Amino acid sequence: MQRIALLGDSIFDNAPYTAGGPAVIDHLRRLLLTGWGADLLAVDGATAREVPQQLQHLEAAHTHLVLSVGGNDALMRADVLETPVHSSGEAFVLLAEAADEFEKSYRAAVTSCLGTELPLVICTIYGGNFPEPSYQQAVRMALLAFNDVIIRTATELDLRVLDLRYVCTTPADYANPIEPSVAGGAKIADAILRALVQGRFVGAGAHIAT
């Protein structure tokens, strides 16, 4: 028996945003082959610092971990996009400081996951679906710094990466600017399965599945 534990935030715990429709965990359970199961340990609103608490709910039956976290960490530093600066260089420094802060908590979260000695897939942060094009562009660029943390961590630790930026690609994939819809959740569930069984070589040992 194989059993997947989903860790992180509302990317997986998206039931509150599907208007009663199936959430990621429902789609995943429907897709799983006989002999496989899945549990939702992710919590809407969680940050990287809370992942160790979620791991306390792991059971002996769990055989695989999938982690999607970081979006709320980035939201907590959305002030970077609005802070007045005198030059683009100052803006880059603010973004670098935010990314450095995230890296500390994210690496701690991944280290906690690896401490279970279970196979781990980690996810990037997608760009969302913000109505204002200029703000959407700013978000996309800012998230490059956060996703760099995730991909570098995966490369250094030889982890497989599920790049959600290539999974939720249309407005229909979002229930609001930042949460997956029923359609987006179905895509994420399908991508989780593919990430567990395949991927192409990227960098120094990391695998990325889209």
Side-chain angles (χ1 to χ4, degrees), residues 6 8-27 29 40-45 126 173 175-176 178-186 188:
L6 301 183
D9 54 30
S10 60
I11 301 304
F12 293 156
D13 186 22
N14 70 319
Y17 310 100
T18 62
V24 170
I25 188 66
D26 303 311
H27 289 297
R29 286 169 175 164
L40 179 66
L41 305 186
V43 178
D44 182 15
Y126 59 30
D173 295 330
N176 58 38
I178 59 174
E179 314 291 354
S181 64
V182 171
I188 292 170

Short mmCIF file of all heavy atoms in Angstrom, two decimals, residues 6 8-27 29 40-45 126 173 175-176 178-186 188:
data_model
loop_
_atom_site.label_atom_id
_atom_site.label_comp_id
_atom_site.label_asym_id
_atom_site.label_seq_id
_atom_site.Cartn_x
_atom_site.Cartn_y
_atom_site.Cartn_z
N LEU A 6 -0.10 15.15 1.52
CA LEU A 6 0.01 16.48 0.93
C LEU A 6 0.26 17.49 2.04
O LEU A 6 -0.54 17.61 2.98
CB LEU A 6 -1.26 16.84 0.18
CG LEU A 6 -1.69 15.91 -0.97
CD1 LEU A 6 -2.93 16.46 -1.66
CD2 LEU A 6 -0.55 15.72 -1.97
N GLY A 8 1.54 21.61 3.21
CA GLY A 8 1.68 22.98 2.75
C GLY A 8 0.47 23.83 3.04
O GLY A 8 -0.05 23.85 4.15
N ASP A 9 -0.02 24.51 1.98
CA ASP A 9 -1.05 25.53 2.17
C ASP A 9 -2.28 25.26 1.30
O ASP A 9 -2.56 24.12 0.95
CB ASP A 9 -0.46 26.92 1.91
CG ASP A 9 0.21 27.02 0.54
OD1 ASP A 9 -0.24 26.31 -0.39
OD2 ASP A 9 1.17 27.80 0.40
N SER A 10 -2.99 26.33 0.93
CA SER A 10 -4.26 26.18 0.21
C SER A 10 -4.12 25.74 -1.23
O SER A 10 -5.12 25.50 -1.90
CB SER A 10 -5.04 27.50 0.26
OG SER A 10 -4.31 28.53 -0.35
N ILE A 11 -2.92 25.65 -1.74
CA ILE A 11 -2.75 25.05 -3.06
C ILE A 11 -3.29 23.63 -3.03
O ILE A 11 -3.89 23.15 -4.01
CB ILE A 11 -1.27 25.06 -3.48
CG1 ILE A 11 -0.74 26.49 -3.52
CG2 ILE A 11 -1.10 24.38 -4.85
CD1 ILE A 11 -1.53 27.42 -4.42
N PHE A 12 -3.10 22.95 -1.92
CA PHE A 12 -3.67 21.61 -1.73
C PHE A 12 -4.97 21.66 -0.92
O PHE A 12 -5.91 20.93 -1.21
CB PHE A 12 -2.67 20.69 -1.04
CG PHE A 12 -1.45 20.38 -1.86
CD1 PHE A 12 -0.26 20.01 -1.24
CD2 PHE A 12 -1.48 20.43 -3.24
CE1 PHE A 12 0.86 19.70 -1.98
CE2 PHE A 12 -0.35 20.14 -3.99
CZ PHE A 12 0.83 19.77 -3.36
N ASP A 13 -5.03 22.51 0.09
CA ASP A 13 -6.22 22.62 0.94
C ASP A 13 -7.16 23.68 0.37
O ASP A 13 -7.41 24.73 0.98
CB ASP A 13 -5.79 22.98 2.36
CG ASP A 13 -6.96 22.98 3.34
OD1 ASP A 13 -7.98 22.32 3.05
OD2 ASP A 13 -6.84 23.64 4.39
N ASN A 14 -7.68 23.42 -0.83
CA ASN A 14 -8.47 24.43 -1.54
C ASN A 14 -9.97 24.22 -1.48
O ASN A 14 -10.72 24.90 -2.18
CB ASN A 14 -8.02 24.52 -3.01
CG ASN A 14 -8.41 23.28 -3.82
OD1 ASN A 14 -8.30 22.16 -3.33
ND2 ASN A 14 -8.85 23.50 -5.05
N ALA A 15 -10.45 23.30 -0.66
CA ALA A 15 -11.89 23.04 -0.57
C ALA A 15 -12.71 24.29 -0.26
O ALA A 15 -13.82 24.44 -0.80
CB ALA A 15 -12.17 21.95 0.46
N PRO A 16 -12.23 25.22 0.58
CA PRO A 16 -13.04 26.41 0.87
C PRO A 16 -13.30 27.30 -0.36
O PRO A 16 -14.14 28.20 -0.29
CB PRO A 16 -12.20 27.17 1.91
CG PRO A 16 -11.35 26.13 2.55
CD PRO A 16 -11.03 25.18 1.45
N TYR A 17 -12.61 27.02 -1.47
CA TYR A 17 -12.70 27.91 -2.63
C TYR A 17 -13.32 27.25 -3.85
O TYR A 17 -13.30 27.81 -4.93
CB TYR A 17 -11.29 28.43 -2.98
CG TYR A 17 -10.59 28.99 -1.77
CD1 TYR A 17 -9.63 28.23 -1.08
CD2 TYR A 17 -10.89 30.25 -1.28
CE1 TYR A 17 -9.01 28.73 0.05
CE2 TYR A 17 -10.28 30.76 -0.15
CZ TYR A 17 -9.34 29.99 0.51
OH TYR A 17 -8.73 30.48 1.64
N THR A 18 -13.88 26.06 -3.68
CA THR A 18 -14.42 25.33 -4.84
C THR A 18 -15.94 25.32 -4.88
O THR A 18 -16.51 24.58 -5.69
CB THR A 18 -13.89 23.88 -4.83
OG1 THR A 18 -14.35 23.21 -3.63
CG2 THR A 18 -12.38 23.83 -4.90
N ALA A 19 -16.58 26.08 -4.01
CA ALA A 19 -18.04 26.18 -4.00
C ALA A 19 -18.70 24.81 -3.91
O ALA A 19 -19.72 24.54 -4.57
CB ALA A 19 -18.54 26.92 -5.24
N GLY A 20 -18.13 23.93 -3.13
CA GLY A 20 -18.69 22.59 -2.94
C GLY A 20 -18.21 21.56 -3.93
O GLY A 20 -18.53 20.37 -3.80
N GLY A 21 -17.44 22.00 -4.92
CA GLY A 21 -16.90 21.06 -5.90
C GLY A 21 -15.68 20.34 -5.36
O GLY A 21 -15.19 20.65 -4.27
N PRO A 22 -15.16 19.37 -6.11
CA PRO A 22 -14.01 18.60 -5.63
C PRO A 22 -12.76 19.45 -5.47
O PRO A 22 -12.47 20.32 -6.30
CB PRO A 22 -13.83 17.52 -6.70
CG PRO A 22 -14.52 18.07 -7.92
CD PRO A 22 -15.64 18.91 -7.41
N ALA A 23 -12.04 19.20 -4.40
CA ALA A 23 -10.77 19.86 -4.13
C ALA A 23 -9.63 18.98 -4.65
O ALA A 23 -9.85 17.89 -5.17
CB ALA A 23 -10.62 20.11 -2.64
N VAL A 24 -8.41 19.48 -4.48
CA VAL A 24 -7.24 18.73 -4.97
C VAL A 24 -7.22 17.31 -4.41
O VAL A 24 -7.00 16.34 -5.15
CB VAL A 24 -5.94 19.47 -4.59
CG1 VAL A 24 -4.72 18.58 -4.86
CG2 VAL A 24 -5.82 20.77 -5.36
N ILE A 25 -7.45 17.16 -3.10
CA ILE A 25 -7.39 15.84 -2.49
C ILE A 25 -8.45 14.91 -3.08
O ILE A 25 -8.21 13.71 -3.26
CB ILE A 25 -7.52 15.93 -0.95
CG1 ILE A 25 -7.27 14.57 -0.29
CG2 ILE A 25 -8.86 16.52 -0.55
CD1 ILE A 25 -5.87 14.06 -0.45
N ASP A 26 -9.63 15.44 -3.41
CA ASP A 26 -10.69 14.62 -4.00
C ASP A 26 -10.30 14.15 -5.40
O ASP A 26 -10.49 12.98 -5.75
CB ASP A 26 -11.99 15.42 -4.07
CG ASP A 26 -12.44 15.93 -2.71
OD1 ASP A 26 -12.46 15.12 -1.77
OD2 ASP A 26 -12.74 17.13 -2.60
N HIS A 27 -9.76 15.07 -6.20
CA HIS A 27 -9.30 14.70 -7.54
C HIS A 27 -8.21 13.63 -7.45
O HIS A 27 -8.20 12.66 -8.22
CB HIS A 27 -8.75 15.92 -8.26
CG HIS A 27 -9.77 16.92 -8.67
ND1 HIS A 27 -10.78 16.65 -9.57
CD2 HIS A 27 -9.92 18.23 -8.33
CE1 HIS A 27 -11.51 17.73 -9.76
NE2 HIS A 27 -11.02 18.70 -9.01
N ARG A 29 -7.52 11.43 -5.06
CA ARG A 29 -8.03 10.12 -4.65
C ARG A 29 -8.77 9.43 -5.78
O ARG A 29 -8.71 8.20 -5.92
CB ARG A 29 -8.93 10.28 -3.43
CG ARG A 29 -8.16 10.58 -2.14
CD ARG A 29 -9.07 11.01 -1.01
NE ARG A 29 -8.34 11.17 0.24
CZ ARG A 29 -8.82 11.82 1.31
NH1 ARG A 29 -10.03 12.37 1.25
NH2 ARG A 29 -8.09 11.93 2.40
N LEU A 40 -4.72 14.65 3.27
CA LEU A 40 -4.48 16.09 3.26
C LEU A 40 -3.98 16.54 4.63
O LEU A 40 -4.75 16.55 5.60
CB LEU A 40 -5.76 16.83 2.89
CG LEU A 40 -5.67 18.35 2.87
CD1 LEU A 40 -4.74 18.81 1.75
CD2 LEU A 40 -7.06 18.97 2.71
N LEU A 41 -2.71 16.91 4.70
CA LEU A 41 -2.15 17.48 5.92
C LEU A 41 -1.90 18.97 5.76
O LEU A 41 -1.65 19.66 6.75
CB LEU A 41 -0.83 16.77 6.28
CG LEU A 41 -0.89 15.24 6.43
CD1 LEU A 41 0.45 14.72 6.94
CD2 LEU A 41 -2.01 14.83 7.36
N ALA A 42 -1.97 19.46 4.52
CA ALA A 42 -1.81 20.89 4.26
C ALA A 42 -2.96 21.66 4.89
O ALA A 42 -4.07 21.15 5.04
CB ALA A 42 -1.79 21.14 2.75
N VAL A 43 -2.68 22.91 5.24
CA VAL A 43 -3.67 23.77 5.91
C VAL A 43 -3.73 25.12 5.21
O VAL A 43 -2.69 25.78 5.02
CB VAL A 43 -3.32 23.97 7.39
CG1 VAL A 43 -4.32 24.91 8.06
CG2 VAL A 43 -3.28 22.63 8.12
N ASP A 44 -4.92 25.52 4.82
CA ASP A 44 -5.13 26.82 4.21
C ASP A 44 -4.51 27.92 5.07
O ASP A 44 -4.74 27.99 6.27
CB ASP A 44 -6.63 27.05 4.05
CG ASP A 44 -6.97 28.37 3.39
OD1 ASP A 44 -6.08 28.99 2.80
OD2 ASP A 44 -8.15 28.76 3.45
N GLY A 45 -3.70 28.77 4.46
CA GLY A 45 -3.08 29.87 5.18
C GLY A 45 -1.72 29.57 5.78
O GLY A 45 -1.08 30.48 6.33
N TYR A 126 3.01 29.25 -8.10
CA TYR A 126 2.51 29.76 -9.38
C TYR A 126 2.23 31.27 -9.29
O TYR A 126 2.27 31.88 -8.22
CB TYR A 126 1.30 28.99 -9.87
CG TYR A 126 0.07 28.93 -8.98
CD1 TYR A 126 -0.28 29.95 -8.10
CD2 TYR A 126 -0.78 27.82 -9.07
CE1 TYR A 126 -1.43 29.87 -7.32
CE2 TYR A 126 -1.94 27.75 -8.28
CZ TYR A 126 -2.26 28.79 -7.43
OH TYR A 126 -3.40 28.73 -6.67
N ASP A 173 -8.32 28.21 -14.08
CA ASP A 173 -7.64 27.39 -13.08
C ASP A 173 -7.67 28.01 -11.69
O ASP A 173 -7.23 27.38 -10.73
CB ASP A 173 -6.18 27.16 -13.49
CG ASP A 173 -6.06 26.34 -14.77
OD1 ASP A 173 -6.94 25.52 -15.02
OD2 ASP A 173 -5.08 26.55 -15.51
N ALA A 175 -9.87 30.09 -8.58
CA ALA A 175 -11.15 30.46 -7.99
C ALA A 175 -11.16 31.93 -7.61
O ALA A 175 -12.22 32.54 -7.48
CB ALA A 175 -11.42 29.60 -6.75
N ASN A 176 -9.99 32.50 -7.40
CA ASN A 176 -9.79 33.92 -7.09
C ASN A 176 -8.35 34.21 -7.49
O ASN A 176 -7.70 33.35 -8.11
CB ASN A 176 -10.09 34.20 -5.61
CG ASN A 176 -9.25 33.37 -4.66
OD1 ASN A 176 -8.08 33.12 -4.90
ND2 ASN A 176 -9.84 32.93 -3.55
N ILE A 178 -5.60 33.89 -6.11
CA ILE A 178 -4.50 33.07 -5.60
C ILE A 178 -4.85 31.61 -5.29
O ILE A 178 -3.94 30.83 -4.98
CB ILE A 178 -3.88 33.70 -4.33
CG1 ILE A 178 -4.94 33.84 -3.23
CG2 ILE A 178 -3.24 35.04 -4.65
CD1 ILE A 178 -4.38 34.33 -1.90
N GLU A 179 -6.13 31.22 -5.37
CA GLU A 179 -6.50 29.85 -4.97
C GLU A 179 -6.90 29.02 -6.19
O GLU A 179 -7.53 29.53 -7.12
CB GLU A 179 -7.68 29.87 -3.99
CG GLU A 179 -7.58 30.89 -2.88
CD GLU A 179 -6.50 30.58 -1.87
OE1 GLU A 179 -5.89 29.49 -1.96
OE2 GLU A 179 -6.27 31.42 -0.99
N PRO A 180 -6.59 27.73 -6.18
CA PRO A 180 -6.98 26.86 -7.31
C PRO A 180 -8.49 26.63 -7.34
O PRO A 180 -9.13 26.43 -6.29
CB PRO A 180 -6.25 25.54 -7.04
CG PRO A 180 -5.26 25.84 -5.98
CD PRO A 180 -5.79 26.98 -5.19
N SER A 181 -9.06 26.67 -8.52
CA SER A 181 -10.47 26.32 -8.73
C SER A 181 -10.62 24.80 -8.81
O SER A 181 -9.64 24.06 -8.69
CB SER A 181 -10.96 26.96 -10.02
OG SER A 181 -10.26 26.40 -11.13
N VAL A 182 -11.83 24.35 -9.08
CA VAL A 182 -12.04 22.92 -9.33
C VAL A 182 -11.19 22.46 -10.51
O VAL A 182 -10.52 21.43 -10.45
CB VAL A 182 -13.54 22.63 -9.60
CG1 VAL A 182 -13.73 21.19 -10.06
CG2 VAL A 182 -14.37 22.89 -8.34
N ALA A 183 -11.19 23.25 -11.57
CA ALA A 183 -10.41 22.89 -12.76
C ALA A 183 -8.91 22.90 -12.46
O ALA A 183 -8.17 21.99 -12.86
CB ALA A 183 -10.73 23.84 -13.90
N GLY A 184 -8.46 23.93 -11.75
CA GLY A 184 -7.05 24.00 -11.40
C GLY A 184 -6.64 22.87 -10.47
O GLY A 184 -5.56 22.29 -10.61
N GLY A 185 -7.52 22.53 -9.53
CA GLY A 185 -7.24 21.42 -8.62
C GLY A 185 -7.10 20.10 -9.35
O GLY A 185 -6.26 19.26 -8.98
N ALA A 186 -7.92 19.91 -10.38
CA ALA A 186 -7.82 18.68 -11.17
C ALA A 186 -6.47 18.60 -11.87
O ALA A 186 -5.84 17.53 -11.93
CB ALA A 186 -8.96 18.62 -12.19
N ILE A 188 -3.70 20.07 -10.87
CA ILE A 188 -2.67 19.86 -9.85
C ILE A 188 -2.61 18.40 -9.43
O ILE A 188 -1.53 17.82 -9.29
CB ILE A 188 -2.92 20.78 -8.64
CG1 ILE A 188 -2.69 22.24 -9.04
CG2 ILE A 188 -2.03 20.41 -7.46
CD1 ILE A 188 -3.14 23.24 -7.99
#
